[in-house]
């Protein structure tokens, strides 16, 4: 069992990948207030080459990223870190995107994300695995 697995869920490292600085800052502030550690990135490519990738306990990923989109990032993460849960967020959570997330077995929350909903989903994901 890794050191990260022995860490209480609320103290694990959460990766936030969103190209909107305001959203990233708000999510990081929320994670701080809930006792989580975090790392943040404005694109998927930066997360994939970061030192955060091996230690992240979960990734909160915007679907509409520049370059590699959120779905493509999730597919790469399945190859590199199949154990890493991913939670999608999007301002444009249309039926097609919701269906694709569901087909991947991943949750999709619409922006603006309700803080309580995100924290409950994050805690449940860390304790029990993806929804």
């Amino acid at each position: 069992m890794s050191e990260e697995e022995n860490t209480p869920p609320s103290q694990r490292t959460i990766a936030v990948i969103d190209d909107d600085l305001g959203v990233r800052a708000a999510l990081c502030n929320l994670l701080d207030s809930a006792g989580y550690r975090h790392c943040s990135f404005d694109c998927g490519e930066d997360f994939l080459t970061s030192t955060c990738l091996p230690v992240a306990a979960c990734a909160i990923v915007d679907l509409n990223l520049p370059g590699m989109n959120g779905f493509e990032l999730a597919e790469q993460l399945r190859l590199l870190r199949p154990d890493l849960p991913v939670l999608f967020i999007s301002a444009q959570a249309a039926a097609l995107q919701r269906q694709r997330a569901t087909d991947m077995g991943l949750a999709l929350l619409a922006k603006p994300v309700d803080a309580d909903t995100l924290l409950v989903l994050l805690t449940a994901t860390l304790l029990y695995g993806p929804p």
Side-chain angles (χ1 to χ4, degrees), residues 4 12-18 24 27-28 31 36-41 47-48 50 52-62 73 77 81 84-87 89 122:
E4 188 74 13
R12 294 185 183 171
T13 301
I14 309 303
V16 176
I17 303 97
D18 195 307
R24 268 197 330 272
L27 288 172
C28 289
L31 293 169
Y36 289 97
R37 297 180 207 148
H38 58 80
C39 51
S40 66
F41 305 89
F47 176 52
L48 291 175
S50 74
C52 183
L53 177 62
V55 299
C58 185
I60 300 171
V61 177
D62 181 29
L73 175 57
L77 291 172
R81 284 278 318 271
L84 181 66
V86 173
L87 304 176
I89 59 174
L122 180 59

PDB file of all heavy atoms in Angstrom, residues 4 12-18 24 27-28 31 36-41 47-48 50 52-62 73 77 81 84-87 89 122:
ATOM      1  N   GLU A   4       0.239   7.381  -0.179  1.00  0.00           N
ATOM      2  CA  GLU A   4      -0.972   8.114  -0.536  1.00  0.00           C
ATOM      3  C   GLU A   4      -2.214   7.316  -0.147  1.00  0.00           C
ATOM      4  O   GLU A   4      -3.192   7.886   0.311  1.00  0.00           O
ATOM      5  CB  GLU A   4      -0.968   8.426  -2.033  1.00  0.00           C
ATOM      6  CG  GLU A   4      -2.072   9.346  -2.480  1.00  0.00           C
ATOM      7  CD  GLU A   4      -1.901  10.812  -2.099  1.00  0.00           C
ATOM      8  OE1 GLU A   4      -0.816  11.218  -1.682  1.00  0.00           O
ATOM      9  OE2 GLU A   4      -2.886  11.558  -2.220  1.00  0.00           O
ATOM     10  N   ARG A  12      -5.568  13.755   0.621  1.00  0.00           N
ATOM     11  CA  ARG A  12      -4.906  13.283  -0.592  1.00  0.00           C
ATOM     12  C   ARG A  12      -4.782  14.406  -1.613  1.00  0.00           C
ATOM     13  O   ARG A  12      -5.461  15.419  -1.539  1.00  0.00           O
ATOM     14  CB  ARG A  12      -5.687  12.117  -1.182  1.00  0.00           C
ATOM     15  CG  ARG A  12      -5.645  10.900  -0.265  1.00  0.00           C
ATOM     16  CD  ARG A  12      -6.303   9.741  -0.902  1.00  0.00           C
ATOM     17  NE  ARG A  12      -6.321   8.619   0.023  1.00  0.00           N
ATOM     18  CZ  ARG A  12      -6.984   7.510  -0.204  1.00  0.00           C
ATOM     19  NH1 ARG A  12      -7.660   7.344  -1.319  1.00  0.00           N
ATOM     20  NH2 ARG A  12      -6.961   6.539   0.677  1.00  0.00           N
ATOM     21  N   THR A  13      -3.923  14.202  -2.588  1.00  0.00           N
ATOM     22  CA  THR A  13      -3.684  15.208  -3.617  1.00  0.00           C
ATOM     23  C   THR A  13      -4.697  15.063  -4.751  1.00  0.00           C
ATOM     24  O   THR A  13      -4.842  13.985  -5.318  1.00  0.00           O
ATOM     25  CB  THR A  13      -2.258  15.078  -4.177  1.00  0.00           C
ATOM     26  OG1 THR A  13      -1.330  15.238  -3.100  1.00  0.00           O
ATOM     27  CG2 THR A  13      -1.990  16.126  -5.243  1.00  0.00           C
ATOM     28  N   ILE A  14      -5.354  16.165  -5.070  1.00  0.00           N
ATOM     29  CA  ILE A  14      -6.336  16.202  -6.144  1.00  0.00           C
ATOM     30  C   ILE A  14      -5.776  17.079  -7.259  1.00  0.00           C
ATOM     31  O   ILE A  14      -5.349  18.202  -7.017  1.00  0.00           O
ATOM     32  CB  ILE A  14      -7.680  16.782  -5.650  1.00  0.00           C
ATOM     33  CG1 ILE A  14      -8.164  16.066  -4.376  1.00  0.00           C
ATOM     34  CG2 ILE A  14      -8.719  16.729  -6.776  1.00  0.00           C
ATOM     35  CD1 ILE A  14      -8.331  14.571  -4.494  1.00  0.00           C
ATOM     36  N   ALA A  15      -5.792  16.572  -8.478  1.00  0.00           N
ATOM     37  CA  ALA A  15      -5.349  17.342  -9.639  1.00  0.00           C
ATOM     38  C   ALA A  15      -6.552  18.069 -10.226  1.00  0.00           C
ATOM     39  O   ALA A  15      -7.624  17.477 -10.391  1.00  0.00           O
ATOM     40  CB  ALA A  15      -4.734  16.427 -10.685  1.00  0.00           C
ATOM     41  N   VAL A  16      -6.361  19.347 -10.501  1.00  0.00           N
ATOM     42  CA  VAL A  16      -7.401  20.162 -11.133  1.00  0.00           C
ATOM     43  C   VAL A  16      -6.861  20.587 -12.496  1.00  0.00           C
ATOM     44  O   VAL A  16      -5.826  21.253 -12.565  1.00  0.00           O
ATOM     45  CB  VAL A  16      -7.741  21.399 -10.275  1.00  0.00           C
ATOM     46  CG1 VAL A  16      -8.754  22.284 -10.990  1.00  0.00           C
ATOM     47  CG2 VAL A  16      -8.249  20.978  -8.894  1.00  0.00           C
ATOM     48  N   ILE A  17      -7.559  20.202 -13.552  1.00  0.00           N
ATOM     49  CA  ILE A  17      -7.126  20.546 -14.906  1.00  0.00           C
ATOM     50  C   ILE A  17      -8.254  21.320 -15.579  1.00  0.00           C
ATOM     51  O   ILE A  17      -9.292  20.747 -15.938  1.00  0.00           O
ATOM     52  CB  ILE A  17      -6.756  19.295 -15.731  1.00  0.00           C
ATOM     53  CG1 ILE A  17      -5.651  18.476 -15.031  1.00  0.00           C
ATOM     54  CG2 ILE A  17      -6.258  19.716 -17.109  1.00  0.00           C
ATOM     55  CD1 ILE A  17      -6.135  17.328 -14.234  1.00  0.00           C
ATOM     56  N   ASP A  18      -8.058  22.636 -15.691  1.00  0.00           N
ATOM     57  CA  ASP A  18      -9.046  23.527 -16.298  1.00  0.00           C
ATOM     58  C   ASP A  18      -8.314  24.727 -16.856  1.00  0.00           C
ATOM     59  O   ASP A  18      -7.444  25.282 -16.178  1.00  0.00           O
ATOM     60  CB  ASP A  18     -10.079  23.964 -15.251  1.00  0.00           C
ATOM     61  CG  ASP A  18     -11.318  24.575 -15.872  1.00  0.00           C
ATOM     62  OD1 ASP A  18     -11.178  25.521 -16.687  1.00  0.00           O
ATOM     63  OD2 ASP A  18     -12.427  24.130 -15.538  1.00  0.00           O
ATOM     64  N   ARG A  24     -10.102  27.280 -11.923  1.00  0.00           N
ATOM     65  CA  ARG A  24      -9.010  26.561 -11.234  1.00  0.00           C
ATOM     66  C   ARG A  24      -8.818  27.103  -9.827  1.00  0.00           C
ATOM     67  O   ARG A  24      -8.714  26.342  -8.863  1.00  0.00           O
ATOM     68  CB  ARG A  24      -7.693  26.693 -12.007  1.00  0.00           C
ATOM     69  CG  ARG A  24      -7.425  25.622 -12.986  1.00  0.00           C
ATOM     70  CD  ARG A  24      -5.985  25.527 -13.457  1.00  0.00           C
ATOM     71  NE  ARG A  24      -5.213  26.741 -13.500  1.00  0.00           N
ATOM     72  CZ  ARG A  24      -5.135  27.581 -14.522  1.00  0.00           C
ATOM     73  NH1 ARG A  24      -5.847  27.340 -15.622  1.00  0.00           N
ATOM     74  NH2 ARG A  24      -4.376  28.649 -14.473  1.00  0.00           N
ATOM     75  N   LEU A  27     -11.752  26.130  -7.534  1.00  0.00           N
ATOM     76  CA  LEU A  27     -11.696  24.713  -7.152  1.00  0.00           C
ATOM     77  C   LEU A  27     -10.564  24.456  -6.164  1.00  0.00           C
ATOM     78  O   LEU A  27     -10.745  23.710  -5.186  1.00  0.00           O
ATOM     79  CB  LEU A  27     -11.537  23.831  -8.393  1.00  0.00           C
ATOM     80  CG  LEU A  27     -12.766  23.716  -9.285  1.00  0.00           C
ATOM     81  CD1 LEU A  27     -12.427  22.972 -10.567  1.00  0.00           C
ATOM     82  CD2 LEU A  27     -13.916  23.040  -8.556  1.00  0.00           C
ATOM     83  N   CYS A  28      -9.418  25.071  -6.385  1.00  0.00           N
ATOM     84  CA  CYS A  28      -8.294  24.893  -5.459  1.00  0.00           C
ATOM     85  C   CYS A  28      -8.623  25.473  -4.084  1.00  0.00           C
ATOM     86  O   CYS A  28      -8.281  24.871  -3.056  1.00  0.00           O
ATOM     87  CB  CYS A  28      -7.023  25.510  -6.022  1.00  0.00           C
ATOM     88  SG  CYS A  28      -6.362  24.571  -7.434  1.00  0.00           S
ATOM     89  N   LEU A  31     -10.924  22.992  -2.426  1.00  0.00           N
ATOM     90  CA  LEU A  31     -10.162  21.832  -1.959  1.00  0.00           C
ATOM     91  C   LEU A  31      -9.350  22.180  -0.713  1.00  0.00           C
ATOM     92  O   LEU A  31      -9.293  21.388   0.234  1.00  0.00           O
ATOM     93  CB  LEU A  31      -9.265  21.299  -3.080  1.00  0.00           C
ATOM     94  CG  LEU A  31     -10.005  20.698  -4.276  1.00  0.00           C
ATOM     95  CD1 LEU A  31      -9.042  20.447  -5.425  1.00  0.00           C
ATOM     96  CD2 LEU A  31     -10.743  19.431  -3.883  1.00  0.00           C
ATOM     97  N   TYR A  36      -7.963  19.157   1.404  1.00  0.00           N
ATOM     98  CA  TYR A  36      -7.252  18.414   0.363  1.00  0.00           C
ATOM     99  C   TYR A  36      -5.989  19.150  -0.067  1.00  0.00           C
ATOM    100  O   TYR A  36      -5.946  20.377  -0.072  1.00  0.00           O
ATOM    101  CB  TYR A  36      -8.134  18.228  -0.879  1.00  0.00           C
ATOM    102  CG  TYR A  36      -9.274  17.279  -0.696  1.00  0.00           C
ATOM    103  CD1 TYR A  36     -10.540  17.745  -0.398  1.00  0.00           C
ATOM    104  CD2 TYR A  36      -9.084  15.907  -0.836  1.00  0.00           C
ATOM    105  CE1 TYR A  36     -11.606  16.868  -0.238  1.00  0.00           C
ATOM    106  CE2 TYR A  36     -10.139  15.020  -0.672  1.00  0.00           C
ATOM    107  CZ  TYR A  36     -11.389  15.513  -0.372  1.00  0.00           C
ATOM    108  OH  TYR A  36     -12.440  14.641  -0.215  1.00  0.00           O
ATOM    109  N   ARG A  37      -4.995  18.396  -0.475  1.00  0.00           N
ATOM    110  CA  ARG A  37      -3.861  18.961  -1.189  1.00  0.00           C
ATOM    111  C   ARG A  37      -4.281  19.031  -2.650  1.00  0.00           C
ATOM    112  O   ARG A  37      -5.182  18.313  -3.077  1.00  0.00           O
ATOM    113  CB  ARG A  37      -2.646  18.050  -1.072  1.00  0.00           C
ATOM    114  CG  ARG A  37      -2.147  17.880   0.340  1.00  0.00           C
ATOM    115  CD  ARG A  37      -0.935  16.954   0.340  1.00  0.00           C
ATOM    116  NE  ARG A  37      -0.863  16.314   1.630  1.00  0.00           N
ATOM    117  CZ  ARG A  37      -0.411  15.104   1.850  1.00  0.00           C
ATOM    118  NH1 ARG A  37       0.038  14.369   0.848  1.00  0.00           N
ATOM    119  NH2 ARG A  37      -0.373  14.605   3.055  1.00  0.00           N
ATOM    120  N   HIS A  38      -3.620  19.869  -3.431  1.00  0.00           N
ATOM    121  CA  HIS A  38      -3.995  19.937  -4.840  1.00  0.00           C
ATOM    122  C   HIS A  38      -2.811  20.382  -5.677  1.00  0.00           C
ATOM    123  O   HIS A  38      -1.832  20.939  -5.187  1.00  0.00           O
ATOM    124  CB  HIS A  38      -5.175  20.891  -5.053  1.00  0.00           C
ATOM    125  CG  HIS A  38      -4.906  22.276  -4.570  1.00  0.00           C
ATOM    126  ND1 HIS A  38      -4.176  23.193  -5.292  1.00  0.00           N
ATOM    127  CD2 HIS A  38      -5.243  22.888  -3.414  1.00  0.00           C
ATOM    128  CE1 HIS A  38      -4.087  24.311  -4.615  1.00  0.00           C
ATOM    129  NE2 HIS A  38      -4.720  24.153  -3.462  1.00  0.00           N
ATOM    130  N   CYS A  39      -2.927  20.099  -6.955  1.00  0.00           N
ATOM    131  CA  CYS A  39      -2.036  20.623  -7.977  1.00  0.00           C
ATOM    132  C   CYS A  39      -2.960  21.038  -9.110  1.00  0.00           C
ATOM    133  O   CYS A  39      -4.032  20.469  -9.278  1.00  0.00           O
ATOM    134  CB  CYS A  39      -1.017  19.578  -8.419  1.00  0.00           C
ATOM    135  SG  CYS A  39      -1.715  17.979  -8.869  1.00  0.00           S
ATOM    136  N   SER A  40      -2.582  22.056  -9.860  1.00  0.00           N
ATOM    137  CA  SER A  40      -3.485  22.518 -10.912  1.00  0.00           C
ATOM    138  C   SER A  40      -2.723  22.806 -12.197  1.00  0.00           C
ATOM    139  O   SER A  40      -1.538  23.158 -12.170  1.00  0.00           O
ATOM    140  CB  SER A  40      -4.255  23.756 -10.453  1.00  0.00           C
ATOM    141  OG  SER A  40      -3.394  24.852 -10.270  1.00  0.00           O
ATOM    142  N   PHE A  41      -3.447  22.643 -13.297  1.00  0.00           N
ATOM    143  CA  PHE A  41      -2.871  22.767 -14.626  1.00  0.00           C
ATOM    144  C   PHE A  41      -3.895  23.384 -15.561  1.00  0.00           C
ATOM    145  O   PHE A  41      -5.095  23.165 -15.403  1.00  0.00           O
ATOM    146  CB  PHE A  41      -2.458  21.384 -15.152  1.00  0.00           C
ATOM    147  CG  PHE A  41      -1.535  20.666 -14.224  1.00  0.00           C
ATOM    148  CD1 PHE A  41      -2.046  19.846 -13.217  1.00  0.00           C
ATOM    149  CD2 PHE A  41      -0.165  20.848 -14.313  1.00  0.00           C
ATOM    150  CE1 PHE A  41      -1.199  19.207 -12.328  1.00  0.00           C
ATOM    151  CE2 PHE A  41       0.688  20.210 -13.424  1.00  0.00           C
ATOM    152  CZ  PHE A  41       0.171  19.393 -12.422  1.00  0.00           C
ATOM    153  N   PHE A  47      -0.325  18.277 -17.211  1.00  0.00           N
ATOM    154  CA  PHE A  47      -0.566  17.309 -16.143  1.00  0.00           C
ATOM    155  C   PHE A  47       0.121  15.980 -16.442  1.00  0.00           C
ATOM    156  O   PHE A  47       0.737  15.374 -15.561  1.00  0.00           O
ATOM    157  CB  PHE A  47      -2.069  17.108 -15.931  1.00  0.00           C
ATOM    158  CG  PHE A  47      -2.402  16.063 -14.903  1.00  0.00           C
ATOM    159  CD1 PHE A  47      -1.849  16.091 -13.629  1.00  0.00           C
ATOM    160  CD2 PHE A  47      -3.283  15.044 -15.202  1.00  0.00           C
ATOM    161  CE1 PHE A  47      -2.158  15.118 -12.676  1.00  0.00           C
ATOM    162  CE2 PHE A  47      -3.605  14.069 -14.265  1.00  0.00           C
ATOM    163  CZ  PHE A  47      -3.038  14.110 -12.999  1.00  0.00           C
ATOM    164  N   LEU A  48       0.055  15.538 -17.694  1.00  0.00           N
ATOM    165  CA  LEU A  48       0.637  14.243 -18.057  1.00  0.00           C
ATOM    166  C   LEU A  48       2.149  14.199 -17.870  1.00  0.00           C
ATOM    167  O   LEU A  48       2.714  13.115 -17.690  1.00  0.00           O
ATOM    168  CB  LEU A  48       0.287  13.894 -19.502  1.00  0.00           C
ATOM    169  CG  LEU A  48      -1.179  13.569 -19.768  1.00  0.00           C
ATOM    170  CD1 LEU A  48      -1.412  13.368 -21.256  1.00  0.00           C
ATOM    171  CD2 LEU A  48      -1.627  12.356 -18.967  1.00  0.00           C
ATOM    172  N   SER A  50       3.757  16.013 -15.461  1.00  0.00           N
ATOM    173  CA  SER A  50       4.045  16.609 -14.152  1.00  0.00           C
ATOM    174  C   SER A  50       4.430  15.570 -13.105  1.00  0.00           C
ATOM    175  O   SER A  50       4.178  14.372 -13.266  1.00  0.00           O
ATOM    176  CB  SER A  50       2.818  17.372 -13.642  1.00  0.00           C
ATOM    177  OG  SER A  50       1.832  16.454 -13.200  1.00  0.00           O
ATOM    178  N   CYS A  52       2.951  15.599 -10.366  1.00  0.00           N
ATOM    179  CA  CYS A  52       1.674  15.363  -9.686  1.00  0.00           C
ATOM    180  C   CYS A  52       1.005  14.078 -10.182  1.00  0.00           C
ATOM    181  O   CYS A  52       0.305  13.423  -9.421  1.00  0.00           O
ATOM    182  CB  CYS A  52       0.747  16.565  -9.895  1.00  0.00           C
ATOM    183  SG  CYS A  52      -0.829  16.437  -9.026  1.00  0.00           S
ATOM    184  N   LEU A  53       1.226  13.725 -11.437  1.00  0.00           N
ATOM    185  CA  LEU A  53       0.551  12.559 -12.017  1.00  0.00           C
ATOM    186  C   LEU A  53       0.711  11.292 -11.169  1.00  0.00           C
ATOM    187  O   LEU A  53      -0.275  10.630 -10.873  1.00  0.00           O
ATOM    188  CB  LEU A  53       1.024  12.322 -13.455  1.00  0.00           C
ATOM    189  CG  LEU A  53       0.439  11.089 -14.151  1.00  0.00           C
ATOM    190  CD1 LEU A  53      -1.077  11.183 -14.281  1.00  0.00           C
ATOM    191  CD2 LEU A  53       1.080  10.908 -15.509  1.00  0.00           C
ATOM    192  N   PRO A  54       1.918  10.946 -10.719  1.00  0.00           N
ATOM    193  CA  PRO A  54       2.038   9.694  -9.960  1.00  0.00           C
ATOM    194  C   PRO A  54       1.417   9.730  -8.564  1.00  0.00           C
ATOM    195  O   PRO A  54       1.125   8.684  -8.007  1.00  0.00           O
ATOM    196  CB  PRO A  54       3.548   9.468  -9.847  1.00  0.00           C
ATOM    197  CG  PRO A  54       4.218  10.525 -10.637  1.00  0.00           C
ATOM    198  CD  PRO A  54       3.208  11.532 -11.036  1.00  0.00           C
ATOM    199  N   VAL A  55       1.202  10.920  -8.000  1.00  0.00           N
ATOM    200  CA  VAL A  55       0.704  10.995  -6.620  1.00  0.00           C
ATOM    201  C   VAL A  55      -0.753  11.413  -6.519  1.00  0.00           C
ATOM    202  O   VAL A  55      -1.344  11.321  -5.441  1.00  0.00           O
ATOM    203  CB  VAL A  55       1.568  11.936  -5.752  1.00  0.00           C
ATOM    204  CG1 VAL A  55       3.004  11.446  -5.676  1.00  0.00           C
ATOM    205  CG2 VAL A  55       1.496  13.372  -6.241  1.00  0.00           C
ATOM    206  N   ALA A  56      -1.346  11.862  -7.605  1.00  0.00           N
ATOM    207  CA  ALA A  56      -2.734  12.316  -7.561  1.00  0.00           C
ATOM    208  C   ALA A  56      -3.660  11.166  -7.188  1.00  0.00           C
ATOM    209  O   ALA A  56      -3.501  10.041  -7.655  1.00  0.00           O
ATOM    210  CB  ALA A  56      -3.139  12.906  -8.905  1.00  0.00           C
ATOM    211  N   ALA A  57      -4.633  11.470  -6.334  1.00  0.00           N
ATOM    212  CA  ALA A  57      -5.619  10.477  -5.931  1.00  0.00           C
ATOM    213  C   ALA A  57      -6.882  10.569  -6.775  1.00  0.00           C
ATOM    214  O   ALA A  57      -7.678   9.635  -6.813  1.00  0.00           O
ATOM    215  CB  ALA A  57      -5.973  10.665  -4.453  1.00  0.00           C
ATOM    216  N   CYS A  58      -7.064  11.709  -7.441  1.00  0.00           N
ATOM    217  CA  CYS A  58      -8.210  11.934  -8.308  1.00  0.00           C
ATOM    218  C   CYS A  58      -7.892  13.124  -9.198  1.00  0.00           C
ATOM    219  O   CYS A  58      -7.090  13.988  -8.815  1.00  0.00           O
ATOM    220  CB  CYS A  58      -9.457  12.223  -7.462  1.00  0.00           C
ATOM    221  SG  CYS A  58     -11.000  12.375  -8.415  1.00  0.00           S
ATOM    222  N   ALA A  59      -8.508  13.171 -10.363  1.00  0.00           N
ATOM    223  CA  ALA A  59      -8.338  14.312 -11.269  1.00  0.00           C
ATOM    224  C   ALA A  59      -9.712  14.894 -11.585  1.00  0.00           C
ATOM    225  O   ALA A  59     -10.630  14.159 -11.959  1.00  0.00           O
ATOM    226  CB  ALA A  59      -7.632  13.892 -12.552  1.00  0.00           C
ATOM    227  N   ILE A  60      -9.826  16.204 -11.398  1.00  0.00           N
ATOM    228  CA  ILE A  60     -11.022  16.938 -11.794  1.00  0.00           C
ATOM    229  C   ILE A  60     -10.673  17.599 -13.121  1.00  0.00           C
ATOM    230  O   ILE A  60      -9.773  18.438 -13.179  1.00  0.00           O
ATOM    231  CB  ILE A  60     -11.413  17.976 -10.735  1.00  0.00           C
ATOM    232  CG1 ILE A  60     -11.703  17.285  -9.393  1.00  0.00           C
ATOM    233  CG2 ILE A  60     -12.619  18.794 -11.207  1.00  0.00           C
ATOM    234  CD1 ILE A  60     -11.901  18.242  -8.228  1.00  0.00           C
ATOM    235  N   VAL A  61     -11.366  17.210 -14.180  1.00  0.00           N
ATOM    236  CA  VAL A  61     -10.961  17.572 -15.542  1.00  0.00           C
ATOM    237  C   VAL A  61     -12.091  18.293 -16.276  1.00  0.00           C
ATOM    238  O   VAL A  61     -13.196  17.757 -16.402  1.00  0.00           O
ATOM    239  CB  VAL A  61     -10.562  16.301 -16.330  1.00  0.00           C
ATOM    240  CG1 VAL A  61     -10.215  16.628 -17.765  1.00  0.00           C
ATOM    241  CG2 VAL A  61      -9.421  15.571 -15.637  1.00  0.00           C
ATOM    242  N   ASP A  62     -11.772  19.474 -16.788  1.00  0.00           N
ATOM    243  CA  ASP A  62     -12.696  20.192 -17.659  1.00  0.00           C
ATOM    244  C   ASP A  62     -12.727  19.482 -19.014  1.00  0.00           C
ATOM    245  O   ASP A  62     -11.697  19.010 -19.500  1.00  0.00           O
ATOM    246  CB  ASP A  62     -12.205  21.636 -17.825  1.00  0.00           C
ATOM    247  CG  ASP A  62     -13.114  22.482 -18.702  1.00  0.00           C
ATOM    248  OD1 ASP A  62     -14.335  22.215 -18.740  1.00  0.00           O
ATOM    249  OD2 ASP A  62     -12.603  23.413 -19.341  1.00  0.00           O
ATOM    250  N   LEU A  73      -7.820  13.346 -22.547  1.00  0.00           N
ATOM    251  CA  LEU A  73      -6.975  13.251 -21.349  1.00  0.00           C
ATOM    252  C   LEU A  73      -7.361  12.033 -20.527  1.00  0.00           C
ATOM    253  O   LEU A  73      -6.493  11.269 -20.083  1.00  0.00           O
ATOM    254  CB  LEU A  73      -7.080  14.529 -20.515  1.00  0.00           C
ATOM    255  CG  LEU A  73      -6.342  14.518 -19.183  1.00  0.00           C
ATOM    256  CD1 LEU A  73      -4.853  14.231 -19.364  1.00  0.00           C
ATOM    257  CD2 LEU A  73      -6.551  15.842 -18.454  1.00  0.00           C
ATOM    258  N   LEU A  77      -5.045   8.946 -19.408  1.00  0.00           N
ATOM    259  CA  LEU A  77      -4.892   8.575 -17.993  1.00  0.00           C
ATOM    260  C   LEU A  77      -5.223   7.107 -17.763  1.00  0.00           C
ATOM    261  O   LEU A  77      -4.598   6.459 -16.922  1.00  0.00           O
ATOM    262  CB  LEU A  77      -5.760   9.473 -17.105  1.00  0.00           C
ATOM    263  CG  LEU A  77      -5.300  10.924 -17.032  1.00  0.00           C
ATOM    264  CD1 LEU A  77      -6.322  11.776 -16.289  1.00  0.00           C
ATOM    265  CD2 LEU A  77      -3.924  11.025 -16.371  1.00  0.00           C
ATOM    266  N   ARG A  81      -2.374   5.696 -15.791  1.00  0.00           N
ATOM    267  CA  ARG A  81      -2.793   5.541 -14.389  1.00  0.00           C
ATOM    268  C   ARG A  81      -4.203   4.973 -14.346  1.00  0.00           C
ATOM    269  O   ARG A  81      -5.167   5.670 -14.032  1.00  0.00           O
ATOM    270  CB  ARG A  81      -2.788   6.899 -13.673  1.00  0.00           C
ATOM    271  CG  ARG A  81      -1.497   7.514 -13.253  1.00  0.00           C
ATOM    272  CD  ARG A  81      -0.941   6.981 -11.928  1.00  0.00           C
ATOM    273  NE  ARG A  81      -1.906   6.783 -10.864  1.00  0.00           N
ATOM    274  CZ  ARG A  81      -2.266   7.701  -9.973  1.00  0.00           C
ATOM    275  NH1 ARG A  81      -1.758   8.902  -9.995  1.00  0.00           N
ATOM    276  NH2 ARG A  81      -3.145   7.408  -9.022  1.00  0.00           N
ATOM    277  N   LEU A  84      -6.494   5.857 -11.450  1.00  0.00           N
ATOM    278  CA  LEU A  84      -6.792   7.248 -11.118  1.00  0.00           C
ATOM    279  C   LEU A  84      -8.233   7.602 -11.488  1.00  0.00           C
ATOM    280  O   LEU A  84      -8.582   7.629 -12.667  1.00  0.00           O
ATOM    281  CB  LEU A  84      -5.830   8.191 -11.854  1.00  0.00           C
ATOM    282  CG  LEU A  84      -6.010   9.677 -11.569  1.00  0.00           C
ATOM    283  CD1 LEU A  84      -5.665  10.006 -10.118  1.00  0.00           C
ATOM    284  CD2 LEU A  84      -5.161  10.506 -12.511  1.00  0.00           C
ATOM    285  N   PRO A  85      -9.065   7.900 -10.494  1.00  0.00           N
ATOM    286  CA  PRO A  85     -10.432   8.328 -10.809  1.00  0.00           C
ATOM    287  C   PRO A  85     -10.427   9.716 -11.447  1.00  0.00           C
ATOM    288  O   PRO A  85      -9.610  10.572 -11.108  1.00  0.00           O
ATOM    289  CB  PRO A  85     -11.121   8.388  -9.437  1.00  0.00           C
ATOM    290  CG  PRO A  85     -10.214   7.729  -8.475  1.00  0.00           C
ATOM    291  CD  PRO A  85      -8.843   7.769  -9.064  1.00  0.00           C
ATOM    292  N   VAL A  86     -11.359   9.923 -12.374  1.00  0.00           N
ATOM    293  CA  VAL A  86     -11.516  11.194 -13.060  1.00  0.00           C
ATOM    294  C   VAL A  86     -12.947  11.669 -12.868  1.00  0.00           C
ATOM    295  O   VAL A  86     -13.891  10.886 -13.039  1.00  0.00           O
ATOM    296  CB  VAL A  86     -11.207  11.055 -14.565  1.00  0.00           C
ATOM    297  CG1 VAL A  86     -11.539  12.329 -15.315  1.00  0.00           C
ATOM    298  CG2 VAL A  86      -9.749  10.662 -14.790  1.00  0.00           C
ATOM    299  N   LEU A  87     -13.091  12.938 -12.513  1.00  0.00           N
ATOM    300  CA  LEU A  87     -14.395  13.587 -12.443  1.00  0.00           C
ATOM    301  C   LEU A  87     -14.392  14.690 -13.485  1.00  0.00           C
ATOM    302  O   LEU A  87     -13.516  15.553 -13.469  1.00  0.00           O
ATOM    303  CB  LEU A  87     -14.647  14.182 -11.055  1.00  0.00           C
ATOM    304  CG  LEU A  87     -14.550  13.225  -9.865  1.00  0.00           C
ATOM    305  CD1 LEU A  87     -14.734  13.982  -8.563  1.00  0.00           C
ATOM    306  CD2 LEU A  87     -15.578  12.115  -9.995  1.00  0.00           C
ATOM    307  N   ILE A  89     -15.902  18.070 -15.401  1.00  0.00           N
ATOM    308  CA  ILE A  89     -16.713  19.266 -15.224  1.00  0.00           C
ATOM    309  C   ILE A  89     -16.798  19.955 -16.584  1.00  0.00           C
ATOM    310  O   ILE A  89     -15.881  19.843 -17.392  1.00  0.00           O
ATOM    311  CB  ILE A  89     -16.148  20.218 -14.152  1.00  0.00           C
ATOM    312  CG1 ILE A  89     -14.726  20.670 -14.498  1.00  0.00           C
ATOM    313  CG2 ILE A  89     -16.195  19.566 -12.769  1.00  0.00           C
ATOM    314  CD1 ILE A  89     -14.163  21.729 -13.556  1.00  0.00           C
ATOM    315  N   LEU A 122     -16.433  13.647  -4.616  1.00  0.00           N
ATOM    316  CA  LEU A 122     -15.001  13.427  -4.468  1.00  0.00           C
ATOM    317  C   LEU A 122     -14.713  12.480  -3.308  1.00  0.00           C
ATOM    318  O   LEU A 122     -13.953  11.516  -3.447  1.00  0.00           O
ATOM    319  CB  LEU A 122     -14.287  14.761  -4.273  1.00  0.00           C
ATOM    320  CG  LEU A 122     -12.774  14.714  -4.096  1.00  0.00           C
ATOM    321  CD1 LEU A 122     -12.091  14.070  -5.296  1.00  0.00           C
ATOM    322  CD2 LEU A 122     -12.244  16.125  -3.873  1.00  0.00           C
TER     323      LEU A 122
END
